[in-house]
Amino acid sequence: MAQVRIQNFDLQIKSNNTDHRTDEISTKRLILRRGQQFKIRLDRGFELNSDKITFIVDTGTPNLRKYETKKLFGLSDGFIKKDWSASILSKDTSSMEIKIVPPADAVIGLHTLDMQISALKEPLKYHLGEFIILYNAWCTEDATFMENEDERKEYIMNEYGFIFVGNSNYISKRPWIYGQFDEDIVDICLKLLDKSLESHKNALEDYSRRNDPVYVSRVLSAMINSIDDNGVMEGRWSEPYDDGTSPTKWNGSSSILRQWFSSGCQPVKYGQCWVFASVLCTALRCLGIPTRVVTNFDSAHDTDGNLYIDQYFNIKDRMISKDTRDSIWNFHVWNESWMERRDLPPGYSGWQVLDATPQEESNGIYCCGPASVKAIKEGDIHLDYDGPFVFAEVNADIIQWVIGPDKSKPERFFHDSYSVGIQISTKNVGNDGRMDITHNYKHDEGSEKERLVFKKALEKKNNPGGQDSVNQVPGTPAPNPPLTDIGLNMKLKLKDPPVFGQDVQLIVLITNLTSQKKKLNININAQTMENNGTNMKLIWQKSDFIKIKPKEEYTALQLIPYSVYKLFLSDSNLLKVSAVGELTDSREKLLVERRITLDSPTLQVEAVPLQTPTVIGHHVTIPPSLISFFHYLDILVEPFTLFFA
């Protein structure tokens, strides 16, 4: 009897990858999206009954094969839902084309494909090759299914984007190269899963759960930061950065991921929130989970979990630390990923918050999410994962306290329910504009519905599993009267847009709304800030005593000199100006703050006729204004030579 042999086989990598929208990653190895068929071709010189062929899919990780992770399936007449299947598309005497369909809930990652022929006493086994499986947002049965094609192009296929930064009064954007289709990035992202704490604790359970985007996205949110697990990046929010790279210098994810991988998986120095979020976006898009980068301006960091941010000021108007680590970040950047939440009651699928920036522990590990955006909006913060923390980021109330010169008991003088979670932003689909998605996270600020949701969240926090209530929660401070009840209104305005290198021109505006003369002491100061709300250094202050006639408006221009702030400003380019006014008769107080982001100076280059010819190789003098601009950009300017083509 003739020996049965497969003469040749073809995984048809190029056509399969094109069909699976992975050809941008590679056309040399098979990369598939689950729930979608792929084709292979077998060349043979024999007749063989289809029931003699068995396909074997196994994990590509050698140390897992001992756990019997194999999937065996033969040729059938049609598609088998929720399991691997294979069927003949065409055949003749010399060849056979077969389609294979991974289930829509297949485990993602590296796999091997073998074929066994049992026509003889001794079965023959052929190793057909390796392939990678990704999530499939084009498959209706996949937990990552996204219906809109334009959104799929944006949130999976787009390798470029913008991250919105600055402050709520001045929003700017940083360009970023995600690079999720660079060929080596998919291997690095799978390595992240293999290096996770979950994989080290129980490799088989970890592998079996990689079919679930909820699980995988949570693991990745922990692995992008370095705490706990030697993840990708170490965070630092203030100088020095001499032993690494300043967070502001990064503009893409691939170099960060490659550096982590090539160093033996040692953390890369340094990142801040927009870097963590951008790298996580790359990893999630690479694995096929629709993801976008989201910026929350005036983002609360609630350390004690009570949904309130306590701020303390001394009578000299400087914010001080007192028994709290609560803070308001100028902006904070996280991710949203699109997925079905089969682990939650109906209604909470769709966009889910994930945050790789290490802020607070979640179940003992520095990670955050996925938290349903819908659950945050409706105050259902008891649902997995990290609902109270995310709710506070977008909708905490601020309680402000003043401490007198004798350090007596703090006096609570203002309750602010409007200032957290401003202009929550992400990139538009299909263009580079900004899309405001604040309405996804909360009802109109200050509306009855928004306040009812806040009270509901408080009760969910204080009484998990209890009945919902819209009554005032015991112990919750009631809002103070608005400042205008004491007859004065105080504002801080900028005369001109603030630019690094120029004096900041600040207008103090106080209006007496009463028919009585008012006397008050006013203290104003400026502090440098980090983006995470850390107050760095008091750099400027001024005190004054003023009298304001009835119905009069008092205006004063204050200058914060460039010569003062340039010595202390961090990479964040942030100043915080605070003003506390105290009425001399009643001792009642009012406070106003303004965060100022100093813009980069602009450079205008104008072509002018040369008075004398410029000779190749001759030195050219640089104007002082241009030198100042280069110094701002951290460029060392030396005498240089112009060369002309």
Side-chain angles (χ1 to χ4, degrees), residues 294-457:
V294 172
T295 303
N296 179 40
F297 291 96
D298 297 332
S299 184
H301 182 172
D302 179 21
T303 58
D304 55 15
N306 65 356
L307 307 188
Y308 290 99
I309 303 299
D310 293 302
Q311 295 181 337
Y312 295 88
F313 298 82
N314 63 24
I315 196 61
K316 293 294 184 182
D317 65 23
R318 182 181 179 186
M319 183 181 284
I320 61 175
S321 298
K322 187 183 186 303
D323 302 326
T324 181
R325 293 188 298 115
D326 289 354
S327 60
I328 304 293
W329 293 40
N330 206 49
F331 66 89
H332 182 49
V333 185
W334 60 65
N335 300 94
E336 288 180 359
S337 289
W338 183 272
M339 64 188 73
E340 188 175 351
R341 290 302 299 269
R342 298 171 182 174
D343 58 321
L344 299 182
Y348 298 100
S349 296
W351 290 117
Q352 313 290 318
V353 172
L354 291 153
D355 193 347
T357 302
Q359 296 182 85
E360 300 293 330
E361 290 185 352
S362 174
N363 295 333
I365 297 174
Y366 279 92
C367 65
C368 182
S372 166
V373 174
K374 177 68 172 177
I376 299 305
K377 182 173 183 176
E378 300 306 326
D380 294 319
I381 62 174
H382 60 293
L383 300 174
D384 288 339
Y385 293 92
D386 307 307
F389 186 78
V390 178
F391 183 90
E393 286 183 301
V394 300
N395 211 17
D397 281 8
I398 300 173
I399 308 296
Q400 294 176 329
W401 309 78
V402 169
I403 300 175
D406 58 351
K407 297 183 179 181
S408 56
K409 183 178 179 180
E411 175 188 351
R412 183 174 62 86
F413 73 100
F414 192 56
H415 181 142
D416 180 358
S417 61
Y418 290 84
S419 297
V420 166
I422 306 295
Q423 299 190 83
I424 304 174
S425 303
T426 192
K427 178 185 173 298
N428 276 335
V429 174
N431 64 64
D432 297 338
R434 184 181 70 89
M435 177 166 53
D436 192 308
I437 56 172
T438 309
H439 62 280
N440 290 350
Y441 283 85
K442 54 185 176 180
H443 300 276
D444 291 343
E445 197 71 83
S447 66
E448 181 180 3
K449 180 65 174 176
E450 183 268 334
R451 288 289 85 192
L452 289 175
V453 167
F454 185 83
K455 293 176 182 178
K456 175 184 178 182

Side-chain angles (χ1 to χ4, degrees), residues 94-145:
S94 62
S95 66
M96 179 186 297
E97 188 173 48
I98 297 171
K99 75 172 182 179
I100 300 176
V101 185
D105 63 348
V107 170
I108 61 130
L110 181 65
H111 293 77
T112 60
L113 178 63
D114 297 328
M115 183 177 68
Q116 183 172 289
I117 300 175
S118 55
L120 299 175
K121 293 181 180 179
E122 294 294 330
L124 295 175
K125 189 173 182 180
Y126 293 89
H127 178 62
L128 303 183
E130 293 184 338
F131 64 97
I132 292 174
I133 301 180
L134 306 177
Y135 296 106
N136 191 355
W138 287 263
C139 174
T140 57
E141 299 297 320
D142 194 299
T144 65
F145 172 67

Side-chain angles (χ1 to χ4, degrees), residues 501-540:
Q502 300 176 7
D503 296 345
V504 176
Q505 300 185 71
L506 188 72
I507 298 174
V508 181
L509 181 66
I510 305 175
T511 306
N512 184 355
L513 303 174
T514 72
S515 56
Q516 298 176 340
K517 182 168 65 175
K518 296 287 186 179
K519 301 177 184 179
L520 72 157
N521 294 304
I522 183 170
N523 298 285
I524 311 171
N525 74 45
Q527 295 171 264
T528 55
M529 287 186 66
E530 293 293 352
N531 178 59
N532 65 355
T534 303
N535 300 302
M536 300 298 292
K537 185 175 181 62
L538 180 67
I539 62 168
W540 175 89

Side-chain angles (χ1 to χ4, degrees), residues 9 13 93-94 147 311 320 328 417 497 562 566 633:
F9 54 86
I13 293 174
T93 56
S94 62
E147 187 172 7
Q311 295 181 337
I320 61 175
I328 304 293
S417 61
Y562 166 66
K566 72 175 182 178
L633 297 178

Side-chain angles (χ1 to χ4, degrees), residues 97 135 241 262 270 282 348 365 369 397 475 498 543 562 568 570 622:
E97 188 173 48
Y135 296 106
Y241 304 112
S262 64
Y270 291 101
T282 295
Y348 298 100
I365 297 174
D397 281 8
S543 299
Y562 166 66
F568 305 104
S570 72
I622 306 172

